[in-house]
Amino acid sequence: MELNKRQEQIIQIVKDFGPITGEAIAEQLHLTRATLRPDLAILTMAGYLEARPRVGYFYTGKTGGQLLAEAVKKLTVQSYQSRPVVVDKNVSVYDAICTMFLEDVGTLFVVDHNTVLVGVVSRKDLLRASLGKQELTAVPVNIIMTRMPNITMCRREDSLYEVAKKLIAKQIDAMPIVRDTEHGAEVIGRITKTNITRAFVDLVNNETL
Amino acid sequence: MELNKRQEQIIQIVKDFGPITGEAIAEQLHLTRATLRPDLAILTMAGYLEARPRVGYFYTGKTGGQLLAEAVKKLTVQSYQSRPVVVDKNVSVYDAICTMFLEDVGTLFVVDHNTVLVGVVSRKDLLRASLGKQELTAVPVNIIMTRMPNITMCRREDSLYEVAKKLIAKQIDAMPIVRDTEHGAEVIGRITKTNITRAFVDLVNNETL
């Protein structure tokens, strides 16, 4: 939303002198309180200012973009997650590749007999392995996987924004969603760049905000 | 932004009777024009209503989410694109895999001697090929690539939102950005789910809206 000149002036005054009453703002602008009322109402409604009874107006420090940012930040992993595709740590690289094609995913999570996460294997890892000289049916997937503690994980209630940032920073396509059990981190979901892309599309489709 | 009850009522009245003057709205609500002024100002500023001199208030048909949606829709491919990684259509599958690892990308664009796009090859295509029995250095990449006219392309000025939708619908990770030349579509960029994820993060970082 675009602010007019007077609204910009009001924000500046509240920034400099807040908390400040509506009367005091009006005085600085050589206007009446009544004249300012619509502008103060707009700025409060839009989240730029906060009003406290018997104290006055505060500057919240928020711009229009920041208010949008807050809405995006509230999106959580659980609204966009996919189901995880897991393989046992003892399966061969060949079987892992078959699972990846059958399930049509780009990342597999490797688990032990308690379905506790022990590794992650990507299409890139499998492609690298397939170039090697070893027989793929003879190499267990746990030889080529990324293992704990080098796995970036998240939880259901985490913000989608934080996860998106980590996917980019760590240059990975997917992250396991885990929950704690007595044996370790159990895999309960998967969050990928595809899920983030879908969240981006949903912003326009207006289903989230 | 959240609307209060009176603002909801005003929107309903303008929806039903617009264009309608502020006085007429006030009358319907049994309030004075002055009392309504802040609410009308807010609704106009926020884009829900439009005011035309000597005509009155219109309902724009836009909700808060829709106004956000408009801002997201304005983002274009060129603000988020990556540089394309291309290989000649005559290189071997083995060399294509090497290029993919060296450049650390998930998709290669295959071009002819005029740098005109003739195919696309993904990590998945290469992984599938690597499982085959053929010698990878002996198979040209053009045997396994997705070829024209089955390639989904976009242009620099396309909306990022439309591209994101297509990436999901076609279940692909990346799309070539092309421009027309006398020989055909020349590859000038690459747009991926990573780029969309970055755009999503930027919404929060407030660099785009």
Side-chain angles (χ1 to χ4, degrees):
Chain A
M1 108 183 205
E2 251 175 66
L3 300 179
N4 65 32
K5 203 177 158 220
R6 191 193 284 163
Q7 288 159 352
E8 300 277 9
Q9 287 174 323
I10 293 173
I11 288 179
Q12 194 54 51
I13 290 170
V14 178
K15 265 186 196 172
D16 294 343
F17 302 102
I20 180 171
T21 64
E23 285 76 11
I25 299 170
E27 205 170 288
Q28 292 219 24
L29 291 171
H30 309 290
L31 294 167
T32 66
R33 173 80 179 80
T35 312
L36 280 195
R37 198 168 291 136
D39 291 315
L40 286 170
I42 287 166
L43 293 173
T44 309
M45 285 280 311
Y48 292 94
L49 302 185
E50 220 168 279
R52 286 201 205 146
R54 281 182 301 279
V55 180
Y57 291 92
F58 287 83
Y59 177 59
T60 60
K62 291 169 190 165
T63 64
Q66 284 170 323
L67 295 162
L68 159 63
E70 279 185 12
V72 172
K73 270 190 183 167
K74 279 188 197 139
L75 303 177
T76 58
V77 161
Q78 62 192 329
S79 313
Y80 289 94
Q81 65 185 335
S82 297
R83 74 188 172 77
V85 177
V86 302
V87 292
D88 186 89
K89 65 179 177 177
N90 296 316
V91 304
S92 70
V93 168
Y94 183 84
D95 285 343
I97 295 175
C98 292
T99 302
M100 190 169 269
F101 275 104
L102 281 172
E103 301 276 356
D104 199 20
V105 292
T107 308
L108 299 174
F109 303 130
V110 185
V111 296
D112 67 13
H113 59 283
N114 286 314
T115 68
V116 162
L117 181 70
V118 295
V120 171
V121 72
S122 69
R123 218 173 253 159
K124 195 168 155 186
D125 296 327
L126 293 173
L127 183 58
R128 191 184 294 110
S130 75
L131 289 183
K133 291 188 170 67
Q134 292 173 292
E135 182 57 47
L136 296 182
T137 52
V139 182
V141 75
N142 65 67
I143 299 292
I144 65 153
M145 72 188 185
T146 300
R147 59 188 66 236
M148 291 285 221
N150 299 322
I151 302 172
T152 307
M153 305 177 292
C154 67
R155 282 150 210 283
R156 246 187 191 145
E157 59 278 9
D158 285 354
S159 118
L160 203 61
Y161 161 69
E162 292 297 338
V163 168
K165 268 205 303 189
K166 276 185 201 162
L167 290 174
I168 289 175
K170 306 266 179 183
Q171 301 189 315
I172 51 179
D173 286 329
M175 213 186 275
I177 308 166
V178 299
R179 82 172 151 217
D180 294 319
T181 69
E182 50 177 326
H183 303 293
E186 189 193 4
V187 184
I188 56 171
R190 171 174 125 252
I191 192 97
T192 68
K193 283 177 182 166
T194 303
N195 299 131
I196 309 286
T197 300
R198 185 164 291 127
F200 181 85
V201 169
D202 276 357
L203 290 176
V204 174
N205 293 345
N206 202 7
E207 284 169 16
T208 45
L209 297 175
Chain B
M1 109 183 204
E2 252 174 67
L3 300 180
N4 66 32
K5 204 177 155 224
R6 191 193 284 163
Q7 288 160 354
E8 300 279 8
Q9 287 174 325
I10 294 172
I11 288 178
Q12 195 52 50
I13 291 170
V14 178
K15 267 186 195 173
D16 294 342
F17 302 101
I20 180 172
T21 63
E23 285 76 12
I25 298 170
E27 205 170 288
Q28 291 220 22
L29 291 172
H30 310 290
L31 294 166
T32 66
R33 173 80 178 83
T35 312
L36 280 195
R37 197 167 293 135
D39 291 316
L40 287 169
I42 288 165
L43 293 171
T44 309
M45 286 279 311
Y48 293 91
L49 302 184
E50 221 168 278
R52 285 200 206 148
R54 282 181 301 279
V55 180
Y57 290 92
F58 286 85
Y59 177 60
T60 58
K62 290 170 191 166
T63 63
Q66 284 170 325
L67 295 161
L68 161 61
E70 280 183 11
V72 172
K73 269 189 183 167
K74 278 187 198 140
L75 303 177
T76 58
V77 163
Q78 62 192 329
S79 312
Y80 288 94
Q81 66 184 336
S82 297
R83 74 188 170 77
V85 177
V86 303
V87 292
D88 187 89
K89 64 178 178 176
N90 296 316
V91 304
S92 69
V93 168
Y94 183 85
D95 284 343
I97 295 176
C98 292
T99 302
M100 190 170 271
F101 275 106
L102 281 173
E103 300 276 355
D104 199 19
V105 292
T107 308
L108 298 174
F109 304 130
V110 185
V111 295
D112 68 10
H113 61 282
N114 286 315
T115 70
V116 162
L117 181 69
V118 295
V120 171
V121 73
S122 69
R123 218 174 254 158
K124 195 167 152 186
D125 297 327
L126 293 174
L127 183 58
R128 191 184 294 111
S130 74
L131 290 183
K133 291 188 171 65
Q134 292 173 292
E135 182 56 48
L136 296 182
T137 51
V139 182
V141 76
N142 66 67
I143 299 291
I144 65 153
M145 72 187 185
T146 300
R147 61 189 63 237
M148 290 290 224
N150 300 321
I151 301 172
T152 307
M153 305 177 292
C154 67
R155 281 150 211 284
R156 246 187 192 146
E157 60 279 9
D158 285 354
S159 118
L160 203 61
Y161 161 70
E162 294 296 339
V163 167
K165 270 206 302 191
K166 275 185 201 161
L167 290 175
I168 288 176
K170 306 267 179 184
Q171 302 190 314
I172 50 179
D173 287 328
M175 214 185 274
I177 307 166
V178 300
R179 81 170 154 222
D180 293 320
T181 69
E182 51 177 326
H183 304 293
E186 188 193 5
V187 185
I188 55 170
R190 170 174 125 253
I191 191 99
T192 69
K193 284 178 182 165
T194 303
N195 299 131
I196 309 286
T197 301
R198 185 163 290 126
F200 180 85
V201 169
D202 275 357
L203 289 177
V204 173
N205 292 346
N206 201 7
E207 284 169 16
T208 45
L209 296 176

